[in-house]
Amino acid sequence: MIKSELIAKIADDNPHLYQRDVERIVNAIFDAITDSLAKGNRVELRGFGAFSVKHRAARAGRNPRTGEQVHVREKHVPFFKTGKELRDRLNGEDEAAPIAPDAAGDTTAGF
Amino acid sequence: MSDTLTRADLAESVYEAVGLSRSESAALVETVLEEMSAALVRGESVKISSFGTFLVRAKNGRMGRNPKTGEEVPIDPRRVLSFRPSHVLKERVDEGLHGGAAASPDTPSTAAQD
């Protein structure tokens, strides 16, 4: 699924909205996440996942083609951690559960 | 200064972008996340240009170890989600936090001047 398909799907399900507005809505969401990360802030979306920024220290790298040593400066990279609910859904209570036919109700203790 | 963005903030951004009610804006944030989740659960990847790609990968089962007790435990085959940020997102994040300019407002950098 690409962004235009996501927009089309949401526009289909919400006939009272113009496609143009759905486009704005979807862009507003990803722009807001991007802006937040660019300020070094976290984005927490319970059930879906959390975006954060990780710091990578400067290091001595190597050009894989020439073997030449190069300095890689420190950088900040975006990082995503999948939320628990989505992780569980990927490993299917519902449809598409080709995994672990035994241990169906094998829960981890507590919560 | 390091506050966390949540669904409520995304709903506010949607509210400001389009003339919908606050409650409908919040519902649409939910819809977007749910459509993305549903596609991922179906095994599809979700590619958002200039943001990044979410993709589902199958991991084989393996023997793991409880790090606390040292006890061996089987890890079932499972599906994991990984996110590959686009170059645009990587650059925005790295530029945003570089050279101590973290707190600078949204002024476009005057980089092309030498």
Side-chain angles (χ1 to χ4, degrees):
Chain A
M1 172 184 267
I2 61 173
K3 188 163 82 175
S4 57
E5 292 166 336
L6 175 64
I7 290 166
K9 175 78 170 73
I10 293 168
D12 272 359
D13 293 345
N14 294 273
H16 62 295
L17 297 176
Y18 292 111
Q19 170 132 349
R20 185 190 65 216
D21 286 338
V22 176
E23 210 171 315
R24 282 200 192 121
I25 289 161
V26 170
N27 287 333
I29 291 173
F30 292 109
D31 288 350
I33 296 173
T34 301
D35 290 347
S36 180
L37 292 173
K39 288 184 212 145
N41 293 334
R42 278 173 66 79
V43 179
E44 272 183 24
L45 304 168
R46 282 288 148 77
F48 184 76
F51 297 90
S52 59
V53 177
K54 292 209 166 181
H55 177 252
R56 300 270 181 255
R59 62 187 170 85
R62 221 170 252 288
N63 180 329
R65 197 152 356 165
T66 63
E68 185 191 1
Q69 199 154 27
V70 284
H71 175 75
V72 181
R73 66 166 179 74
E74 60 141 4
K75 56 188 163 196
H76 293 272
V77 296
F79 178 78
F80 176 75
K81 184 171 190 286
T82 313
K84 186 178 185 313
E85 190 192 310
L86 181 53
R87 199 168 56 227
D88 288 346
R89 280 177 68 189
L90 285 170
N91 292 291
E93 295 84 83
D94 35 299
E95 81 250 292
I99 346 172
D102 50 74
D106 185 24
T107 53
T108 45
F111 44 103
Chain B
M1 135 185 180
S2 178
D3 33 19
T4 298
L5 204 78
T6 63
R7 277 178 164 72
D9 300 299
L10 294 184
E12 186 63 24
S13 297
V14 167
Y15 173 77
E16 284 164 18
V18 188
L20 298 172
S21 72
R22 281 205 152 77
S23 67
E24 192 170 13
S25 300
L28 277 156
V29 170
E30 216 48 58
T31 304
V32 169
L33 295 177
E34 179 47 37
E35 289 299 343
M36 291 172 69
S37 301
L40 293 165
V41 170
R42 291 195 297 269
E44 284 177 45
S45 53
V46 175
K47 186 174 180 176
I48 307 296
S49 63
S50 80
F51 185 76
T53 304
F54 297 87
L55 62 163
V56 181
R57 291 189 312 185
K59 295 271 222 176
N60 288 323
R62 61 186 167 88
M63 275 321 257
R65 212 175 263 284
N66 180 330
K68 219 175 292 185
T69 64
E71 185 191 359
E72 282 210 329
V73 259
I75 297 177
D76 288 333
R78 65 201 199 284
R79 295 199 300 174
V80 296
L81 176 56
S82 71
F83 174 65
R84 291 206 54 199
S86 75
H87 282 285
V88 179
L89 178 60
K90 280 194 196 167
E91 273 165 28
R92 283 282 322 270
V93 167
D94 199 39
E95 279 164 15
L97 298 174
H98 234 265
S104 82
D106 255 342
T107 43
S109 66
T110 51
Q113 261 184 0
D114 59 340

